[in-house]
Amino acid sequence: MTMGTLILACRTEEDVRRLLHLAKLDEEDLKPVVQSFYLAQDFTREDLKLMEVTPDILNQILEGERVIIRGDKSDPAVLCTDTQTYDIKEAGTSNSLLLLPSVVWPDEAETNDKDDGITIASQEVAGIFHNYLELHLCRPRVQKLRYLMEENLYTGKEYEADNVDVKYTFEDLLNVIQASPKELQTALRELQACCIDGFWRMLDFDYQFSVFNHIVNLVDSNSWPSDGIPLQAVLDTLEDLIPRKILEECFHWYTEPVGRTTPEGYDLYRWNEDKICAFLGEVILRPTGKFNLEEFLYTWQSTVPEGITTNLNQLKVGNLALSSTD
Amino acid sequence: MVQILIRMPTSEDSKSGVPDWAVVELQGDLESKSGQEMHGSFVGDLHYTKKGAILIIGHHILFGKTVDVDKPFIVLRKKNSLTEHHHEANMLRSQKSLEHTQEEEASEVSVSIENLYDKHNYSTYYEVHAIVRKKILFKTRPKPIVTNVPKKL
């Protein structure tokens, strides 16, 4: 429907004056521009929706940033910007919202083309609405992500050639997860997923353990100090066995930068004790599920690399719980 | 899953950017006196006084004022990139009189994706057709205009 189908105004100054006198209004009190409203030919406008947004979201849309509504057919719809997710709700009101493409505002209604008398501006009501869409900031729906990742865990590059199970790129994931790109990135990081050949994969747990062991053994055999581990050397030495990307991700999960470099300028790292202990605690508990506390503590301490002390508080870092019957 | 983009009009659609539209908010519904078709018909006159706005609709007079909306509205127009834009057949809304209504009730319902996209094609998107930043709000109940009965014939 184009705006050109404005109904010809057929009301005269007479008509307007008659109405305002009927309403007991004094022309003296009124500004000289009067607006007569007419309904458009098609004022039900099924093709239009009103959505209440925030100034922030409006700016993002105006600047061409991605603002997308996402969901499966029967999902409650969400709206995602680059960084946030909002529930979309339909707010009903018993009021009528008349939508006007053009209106004369009070400060524009002061003067008219006549010295005396009224100027009549005809305005079209493009649509009448009784509800509109409202946005409520919400948590992204990322629970599904772990499930998707677990469909095809990475178990080693030897197995990849025959791997025909489903794999997801970042864009694929945005297609099935109701979250903003930034929230999806955060969720992937929390799951310790890696981007391998463009696909996001979670590592099979045993594989992750073997990568960890390769790194620890390398550190031991080179006698590097536990607070002076060169990332570059680790990558260069092990990349034939383990894809570099994975090596690097794993390395960063269990280390932290020291702030110093080798003479050649490569960054040095040290073990992140808490994360390593938590990881190894999980390694020990996984196969058995339950473990006598004393035995567990003993085994645990003897498993961690030299120089690291275990501590029950570290288990909170991982996904483990301590039950009193252990 | 469906991804429905909300985007600005392309430069072919709109040379001068997205226009600002206005909302006039009033209590109740508009009705047609004689039940005749409302399309294209006259609604009422809007007058401004020094401090506010006056709307005369039928036999009612409403008092209100211009305000900035708390949060901006965008007017979204549903489009799809495969076929020409079309909208469903016109339907006349059910008529209710411009009576005094109860206090505004806000009811909130989650919107399912099915309500937002065209089932027959997956390339639905929404274009920002206009932005609303100001409205003329008539919060008070419409007052009936009492006309004087002529004293003689």
Side-chain angles (χ1 to χ4, degrees):
Chain A
M1 192 198 87
T2 63
M3 289 299 110
T5 55
L6 187 63
I7 296 302
L8 277 180
C10 48
R11 299 187 73 248
T12 61
E13 247 181 84
E14 272 289 309
D15 296 324
V16 170
R17 281 209 167 91
R18 191 179 311 127
L19 192 59
L20 68 89
H21 288 153
L22 217 60
K24 309 237 182 35
L25 295 176
D26 186 349
E27 215 177 302
E28 294 287 300
D29 300 330
L30 306 174
K31 299 199 183 188
V33 176
V34 179
Q35 296 174 82
S36 295
F37 292 163
Y38 295 84
L39 289 181
Q41 278 302 336
D42 169 25
F43 65 92
T44 57
R45 294 313 294 267
E46 300 289 330
D47 63 323
L48 291 184
K49 285 206 184 309
L50 270 181
M51 179 186 275
E52 187 188 51
V53 297
T54 62
D56 202 32
I57 294 177
L58 178 58
N59 275 340
Q60 290 183 47
I61 298 176
L62 290 176
E63 284 172 21
E65 291 177 29
R66 279 218 298 191
V67 176
I68 299 192
I69 297 172
R70 294 198 159 99
D72 259 324
K73 273 188 252 194
S74 49
D75 277 336
V78 298
L79 179 134
C80 297
T81 61
D82 275 337
T83 57
Q84 298 191 306
T85 302
Y86 301 81
D87 273 325
I88 303 179
K89 304 250 188 224
E90 186 148 60
T93 163
S94 52
N95 285 3
S96 292
L97 303 174
L98 277 55
L99 197 56
L100 284 98
S102 154
V103 130
V104 175
W105 297 105
D107 53 355
E108 299 162 332
E110 303 284 4
T111 54
N112 57 9
D113 25 350
K114 315 172 178 175
D115 290 326
D116 235 344
I118 306 172
T119 301
I120 306 173
S122 297
Q123 307 290 19
E124 183 185 70
V125 176
I128 303 181
F129 293 79
H130 295 276
N131 44 44
Y132 56 91
L133 300 175
E134 255 188 2
L135 302 178
H136 298 262
L137 193 62
C138 68
R139 289 164 163 273
R141 313 240 168 90
V142 292
Q143 299 86 336
K144 212 161 63 164
L145 186 59
R146 174 182 283 273
Y147 175 73
L148 294 178
M149 294 283 99
E150 285 174 353
E151 279 174 349
N152 191 357
L153 296 171
Y154 186 90
T155 51
K157 66 181 185 176
E158 324 77 90
Y159 302 103
E160 285 298 288
D162 294 332
N163 189 337
V164 293
D165 287 336
V166 65
K167 293 191 286 206
Y168 299 91
T169 62
F170 196 77
E171 282 301 316
D172 292 335
L173 289 173
L174 281 178
N175 257 329
V176 293
I177 302 275
Q178 289 179 295
S180 67
K182 178 153 176 266
E183 288 161 329
L184 180 58
Q185 263 166 16
T186 303
L188 285 168
R189 195 171 36 245
E190 283 170 6
L191 283 179
Q192 292 185 329
C194 305
C195 186
I196 305 165
D197 293 332
F199 297 101
W200 283 88
R201 313 284 296 281
M202 257 173 78
L203 304 182
D204 168 78
F205 189 83
D206 292 335
Y207 179 76
Q208 195 178 330
F209 184 46
S210 80
V211 172
F212 176 78
N213 277 332
H214 280 298
I215 298 174
V216 168
N217 291 339
L218 189 68
V219 171
D220 271 347
S221 64
N222 278 304
S223 302
W224 287 323
S226 62
D227 66 345
I229 307 169
L231 169 59
Q232 195 63 29
V234 170
L235 295 180
D236 291 341
T237 314
L238 293 176
E239 69 177 333
D240 288 334
L241 284 174
I242 300 158
R244 208 175 167 94
K245 262 263 167 100
I246 296 180
L247 265 180
E248 204 163 354
E249 289 288 333
C250 280
F251 187 85
H252 286 301
W253 293 337
Y254 304 113
T255 62
E256 41 198 19
V258 173
R260 288 181 288 115
T261 62
T262 63
E264 297 87 357
Y266 297 126
D267 288 325
L268 288 172
Y269 293 78
R270 66 163 158 254
W271 295 126
N272 181 323
E273 296 201 5
D274 290 345
K275 287 200 182 156
I276 290 180
C277 291
F279 178 57
L280 289 174
E282 191 175 346
V283 168
I284 295 169
L285 285 173
R286 233 176 197 241
T288 61
K290 242 171 35 173
F291 221 110
N292 170 280
L293 185 59
E294 258 187 58
E295 285 176 24
F296 167 74
L297 288 175
Y298 179 78
T299 313
W300 193 24
Q301 180 60 65
S302 48
T303 312
V304 301
E306 220 178 285
I308 296 181
T309 319
T310 56
N311 173 331
L312 277 176
N313 284 326
Q314 290 155 341
L315 290 180
K316 293 179 192 141
V317 175
N319 304 321
L320 307 168
L322 211 54
S323 130
S324 57
T325 56
D326 273 323
Chain B
M1 185 163 97
V2 177
Q3 292 206 74
I4 303 171
L5 190 59
I6 294 182
R7 39 167 280 216
M8 296 293 285
T10 58
S11 48
E12 301 104 57
D13 301 334
S14 122
K15 303 279 182 231
S16 49
V18 173
D20 272 304
W21 282 11
V23 157
V24 169
E25 183 172 351
L26 43 91
Q27 294 193 1
D29 269 338
L30 299 185
E31 69 163 350
S32 148
K33 266 191 301 229
S34 49
Q36 62 187 166
E37 297 261 321
M38 286 168 66
H39 307 288
S41 54
F42 169 66
V43 174
D45 284 338
L46 175 72
H47 298 269
Y48 288 126
T49 63
K50 274 208 179 64
K51 33 179 195 132
I54 300 179
L55 191 53
I56 310 173
I57 298 183
H59 289 287
H60 287 88
I61 182 166
L62 297 83
F63 297 90
K65 59 182 172 136
T66 309
V67 295
D68 291 329
V69 293
D70 294 324
K71 294 196 229 170
F73 282 89
I74 49 179
V75 180
L76 295 175
R77 190 179 190 196
K78 194 197 287 188
K79 301 193 99 162
N80 66 68
S81 50
L82 286 182
T83 64
E84 276 280 284
H85 166 72
H86 76 281
H87 45 87
E88 279 90 309
N90 298 339
M91 284 183 327
L92 215 52
R93 292 267 166 82
S94 66
Q95 312 292 313
K96 282 191 271 181
S97 66
L98 192 58
E99 303 290 337
H100 305 162
T101 56
Q102 292 161 337
E103 288 308 297
E104 173 176 322
E105 278 165 33
S107 59
E108 282 174 11
V109 175
S110 277
V111 181
S112 100
I113 283 281
E114 275 174 318
N115 293 352
L116 295 172
Y117 82 102
D118 264 332
K119 288 172 208 185
H120 304 296
N121 79 79
Y122 281 77
S123 58
T124 301
Y125 65 95
Y126 281 93
E127 194 178 78
V128 180
H129 200 57
I131 301 169
V132 175
R133 300 181 219 251
K134 293 202 284 198
K135 64 182 179 184
I136 311 175
L137 173 62
F138 293 92
K139 258 202 299 216
T140 61
R141 294 168 169 192
K143 277 172 55 180
I145 298 171
V146 178
T147 52
N148 287 329
V149 177
K151 283 200 171 104
K152 54 186 192 178
L153 176 264

